[in-house]
Each structure stands twice: as structure tokens, then as C-alpha cells.
Amino acid sequence: MKKFLPILLFSLLLTACAPNSSEITAPGVTLSVQSNGQPSQVSTGVQLLVLLTVLSLAPAILILATAFTRIVIVLSMLRSAIGTQQVPPTQVIIGLSLVLTFFIMSPVWDQVNREAVQPYLEGKVTQQTALDVGQKPVREFMLRQTRPKDIALFVQLSKQPQPKTPNDISTATLLPAFVISELKTAFQMAFVIFVPFLVIDLIVSSALLSMGMMMLPPSLVSLPFKILLFVMADGWYLIVKSLITSFH
């Protein structure tokens, strides 16, 4: 049944545009559509198709247009710096990244819900107006975190006119600029996290070399000291605080 679903959807869309009634037949499935000749029915079908497409892209939007990218990279780098390749597990890192993303983005999403979603559900505004109003808080969030240099790069590459105000920057230009800005910020934070653990590795390696214990892996000896340093410094508190405050 799954392999016939795209064919059925495409046939259904074509049938909705036809002036007369039609019948779609597939192995074991028969679907009849009676067209009433009203353009609103075709428009509704197209809107439903666009909505399904947007929902399929929702995970990518959640990853790239929110705080998730910076958080998950920093937490992954932290695990690599400590040297515990599987602790915390990847599922825990992604879950914590999602929780922190929801916490950081909650004011933005509350504003979108209050100014766009609820008025649209109550029938006070049209769908296009809700989309225009709803994207403003998200764009403001991305603009605060995006470097002007990155925006200028994509404006130049897209060969668009030089924007005079932030509202003149298209979302298609702002989104990739926001992503590369988040990547740079995440790697800057990761570098600061790596330095103290690197110092411990160097000290342990020098100590083992001076004692002639060259066959003993330095990472095996330094791991307990790095974990002790992270726990004594209350590392999770500092990392989470730094991540959240970096967005304000």
C-alpha cells in the first residue's frame, strides 16, 4: 500500500483539478472523486499538499532555525573533550539539546502562538497574514544571533539589492547566514571547553613519559582526572548556563 500512496496522491490532485467526476483505481483500492467545479476545492487541496510538505520539513526547520544547532554541537564537543565516547549517550545529548532548545525558544513560540496562531484559529486573520506575522519573531531571533558579515555574504551571493533595513532581508538569505553563524559560535565555545582538558592530557602524558611508562595509554590515566575536574567545577551547571546566556 505504501508504494501506491504517492501515485494515489498525485492522481487525486489531478482529479481535483478536473471538471468532471473521476475514479482512481489501484490494486485493492478504488477511490472516487466528484468535482463540483468550484475553484475553492482545488485551492483547499493545494493548501493541504503544501501543509503536508511543510510538516515533512519541520525536523530540518527545528534543527536549523532554532538554538538546537549550537547546543548539540557544544554538548558533543564536550563529550569528545572529556574522552568518554559513549557517555553521555547520543540519545541523552539530543534529548537535552531539545529540552534546552524548547526552553530558549519558548518566548519566541509563545509570541508566535499569541500573535499568529490563535488569531488564525479564531478566524480573525487570513492564512497569509498569520504566516507574515508568525515569522517575524523567528526572524528577529535569527537576526540577533547572525553576524552582519554572514548576511552580507549571502546577499552578495544571491545577487539581491543591498537591504536597507532588516525587514528587507529575505528568509532564504537569513537562514543560511544564521546557520553558519551558529556553527562558528558553537566551535568558539567548544574551543574554550577543550583547553582545560587538553592541559590535563599534556600533564599526564609528560608525567608518564618522565616515568618511562610509554606503553600505558595517557588517555586511560587522564580520564579520571578530567571527570574529577568536570564534577568539581560543576561542569553541567556552567555549560548549560553558558549556552542559555549566549542567546541573550
Side-chain angles (χ1 to χ4, degrees), residues 175-195:
L175 182 58
F178 170 75
V179 172
I180 64 174
S181 294
E182 286 293 284
L183 290 175
K184 180 178 180 178
T185 304
F187 275 84
Q188 288 175 339
M189 297 181 67
F191 172 77
V192 176
I193 293 173
F194 256 96
V195 170

Side-chain angles (χ1 to χ4, degrees), residues 37-161:
Q38 296 180 1
S40 60
Q41 297 296 327
V42 179
S43 177
T44 303
V46 173
Q47 291 178 2
L48 180 60
L49 185 61
V50 171
L51 178 61
L52 293 176
T53 304
V54 172
L55 290 177
S56 65
L57 296 176
I61 296 174
L62 175 64
I63 292 174
L64 298 179
T66 63
F68 181 83
T69 301
R70 183 188 306 184
I71 296 173
V72 75
I73 290 177
V74 170
L75 294 181
S76 299
M77 289 291 191
L78 171 64
R79 183 174 64 179
S80 299
I82 296 176
T84 54
Q85 299 301 323
Q86 299 297 329
V87 179
T90 302
Q91 294 85 346
V92 175
I93 290 180
I94 294 177
L96 178 59
S97 301
L98 287 173
V99 170
L100 295 179
T101 300
F102 292 149
F103 179 81
I104 294 171
M105 299 297 297
S106 59
V108 177
W109 291 338
D110 289 342
Q111 185 178 355
V112 172
N113 180 66
R114 182 176 63 256
E115 297 180 358
V117 176
Q118 293 302 323
Y120 174 71
L121 295 178
E122 295 172 0
K124 297 180 180 179
V125 297
T126 62
Q127 182 180 15
Q128 185 61 43
T129 303
L131 290 175
D132 294 338
V133 174
Q135 69 177 343
K136 288 182 180 179
V138 181
R139 284 173 53 87
E140 292 175 357
F141 170 81
M142 291 193 292
L143 283 170
R144 288 197 304 267
Q145 309 301 327
T146 306
R147 298 178 301 167
K149 180 180 179 181
D150 296 329
I151 296 178
L153 171 64
F154 284 97
V155 169
Q156 180 182 1
L157 294 177
S158 62
K159 298 180 180 180
Q160 295 179 354

